[in-house]
Amino acid sequence: MRSLTFASILVPLLSFIFYRNFLRMPSLSTVRAFNAAFSPSYTPVAIFVGGTSGIGQGIAEAFARHTKGNAHIVIVGRNRAAAESIISTFPKPTVPGVTHEFVECDISLMKNVRHVATDLRARIPRINFLVLTPGVMTMNGRNETEEGIDRKLAVHYYGRWRFIKDLLPAVEEAHNAGEDAKVLSVLSAGYGGGKIDLEDLGLKKSFSLPNAAAAAGTYNDIMINDFAARFPGLSFIHSHPGFVASNLMKTSNTPSLRFMNNILMPILRPFAYSVETSGEHQLYGLLKAGPGAVRTTDNGDDIGLSKRYFGSPEAMARLWKHTEEATSV
Ligand SMILES: *[C@@H]1O[C@H](CO)[C@@H](O)[C@H](O)[C@H]1NC(C)=O
């Protein structure tokens, strides 16, 4: 009986994941062809915050492949060895002066984000693509950094917001030069968001795992909307990556998640996007996006603001003020 119940849950679930990941349009070959056709008249500059593993790695690798290495690529993250090994697989640039580099940053601390952003601003005058993917998976409760921000929210929202804010002048430079000027935050558009409490932004009083997940998703939605309203002409995208076989669970600090990874991943892997495939779909969503606020699914389709959007003009104003204060260290 129990196994029947188990099957009755697992089979529809797997079918659903399979349907979502593989049968929907556009197909991987369409997406790949679209990405391969990207051939800007300028040498693009792309920054991948969280590009040392998982989806960020997948997007950075796809970008390097399709530009044939002729792009200034900066991977920002904690793991230098991983970044260097990823960069070593990039096609070597043939355009003089173009580099692929790693910059170390633990994004959970805003002082690090500000320091790295200042360094990047000082030596990189224009940025065409700013991609933010850093993630942690944990089932532990609130865990504050020395700056008073929950670590998970810091990585999924506050650090991303601060990177965007501080690097935006360089993205505007690209826009003013008539080039691509786009920001992509990969988290949970259309799926993870939920109602947020405007009286407790940052969840100091009402932290729970569901509240934290809802807040991170909705804060990201509001973030792209707000930046898009303030900086017309630029693209701000919040995407949902779908189910990706990354090492998020494997490297979790929650034992039960690591355990589930060992048991479930072998079963689920065939139903998941590989890091490479996810990278192609996410890059497609990025390259295809027009100006303004864009929310995309795992396949890069724009779902607009109709589905599971919990923002409002008031939420926008209050979250901006709260975030500016919380990240101004
Ligand atoms: C809080 O985060 C730190 C740094 O990641 C970690 O070492 C510590 O174990 C975490 N504490 C809890 C209770 O999760």
Side-chain angles (χ1 to χ4, degrees):
M1 198 56 205
R2 185 171 297 159
S3 64
L4 194 68
T5 316
F6 188 61
S8 69
I9 293 170
L10 202 61
V11 169
L13 182 69
L14 291 183
S15 320
F16 177 72
I17 296 174
F18 186 80
Y19 166 76
R20 286 205 42 80
N21 281 13
F22 294 109
L23 299 182
R24 295 235 327 232
M25 298 297 282
S27 69
L28 178 58
S29 56
T30 305
V31 162
R32 232 185 227 131
F34 182 92
N35 293 342
F38 175 62
S39 151
S41 55
Y42 60 91
T43 303
V45 180
I47 309 233
F48 297 92
V49 179
T52 51
S53 70
I55 299 160
Q57 173 185 353
I59 308 172
E61 287 172 343
F63 189 77
R65 256 195 318 276
H66 292 300
T67 55
K68 300 178 179 61
N70 286 320
H72 182 177
I73 297 175
V74 185
I75 293 184
V76 179
R78 285 180 305 175
N79 191 337
R80 174 175 295 275
E84 281 171 357
S85 120
I86 292 164
I87 287 172
S88 73
T89 69
F90 289 174
K92 300 288 164 278
T94 53
V95 172
V98 168
T99 54
H100 305 152
E101 55 171 317
F102 170 68
V103 174
E104 190 171 340
C105 183
D106 174 354
I107 187 180
S108 68
L109 286 179
M110 300 309 123
K111 65 175 187 203
N112 297 344
V113 172
R114 301 218 71 178
H115 177 80
V116 167
T118 303
D119 162 62
L120 293 173
R121 269 293 288 139
R123 56 195 186 81
I124 303 181
R126 78 190 159 74
I127 296 169
N128 300 104
F129 301 99
L130 172 57
V131 176
L132 307 118
T133 57
V136 287
M137 200 182 258
T138 174
M139 279 161 65
N140 297 5
R142 187 179 176 86
N143 187 348
E144 278 190 11
T145 66
E146 67 200 44
E147 297 171 342
I149 300 176
D150 172 65
R151 277 171 216 280
K152 190 149 64 165
L153 287 176
V155 169
H156 289 164
Y157 171 66
Y158 290 92
R160 298 182 186 206
W161 188 94
R162 196 26 95 171
F163 257 121
I164 299 172
K165 180 76 166 34
D166 288 359
L167 293 179
L168 213 48
V171 185
E172 283 189 280
E173 278 298 313
H175 177 64
N176 293 340
E179 302 173 357
D180 287 295
K182 300 180 174 187
V183 176
L184 166 64
S185 179
V186 179
L187 194 69
S188 61
Y191 292 89
K195 285 207 180 67
I196 56 168
D197 180 359
L198 297 183
E199 303 304 327
D200 188 27
L201 294 169
L203 304 179
K204 285 208 186 263
K205 290 178 284 206
S206 56
F207 192 95
S208 69
L209 290 178
N211 283 354
T218 297
Y219 292 179
N220 267 266
D221 278 343
I222 294 174
M223 173 175 85
I224 57 144
N225 255 323
D226 210 343
F227 276 115
R230 287 166 195 257
F231 299 91
L234 280 60
S235 303
F236 293 91
I237 308 140
H238 175 201
S239 77
H240 172 68
F243 177 47
V244 180
S246 69
N247 64 1
L248 261 187
M249 274 165 96
K250 193 162 100 191
T251 56
S252 173
N253 67 359
T254 305
S256 62
L257 283 180
R258 289 199 304 274
F259 176 76
M260 265 169 54
N261 179 71
N262 295 338
I263 303 294
L264 285 182
M265 255 312 172
I267 306 173
L268 293 181
R269 193 172 297 278
F271 302 94
Y273 286 110
S274 67
V275 159
E276 186 195 339
T277 304
S278 173
E280 291 283 358
H281 281 287
Q282 292 294 312
L283 181 62
Y284 168 78
L286 174 66
L287 295 179
K288 185 171 75 103
V294 174
R295 290 162 91 224
T296 66
T297 62
D298 41 340
N299 288 332
D301 303 326
D302 188 357
I303 54 172
L305 291 181
S306 58
K307 191 174 165 190
R308 289 187 69 78
Y309 177 67
F310 298 89
S312 66
E314 191 198 354
M316 230 151 94
R318 290 179 63 168
L319 186 63
W320 182 279
K321 186 165 174 290
H322 161 79
T323 310
E324 194 152 49
E325 282 166 10
T327 60
S328 293
V329 292

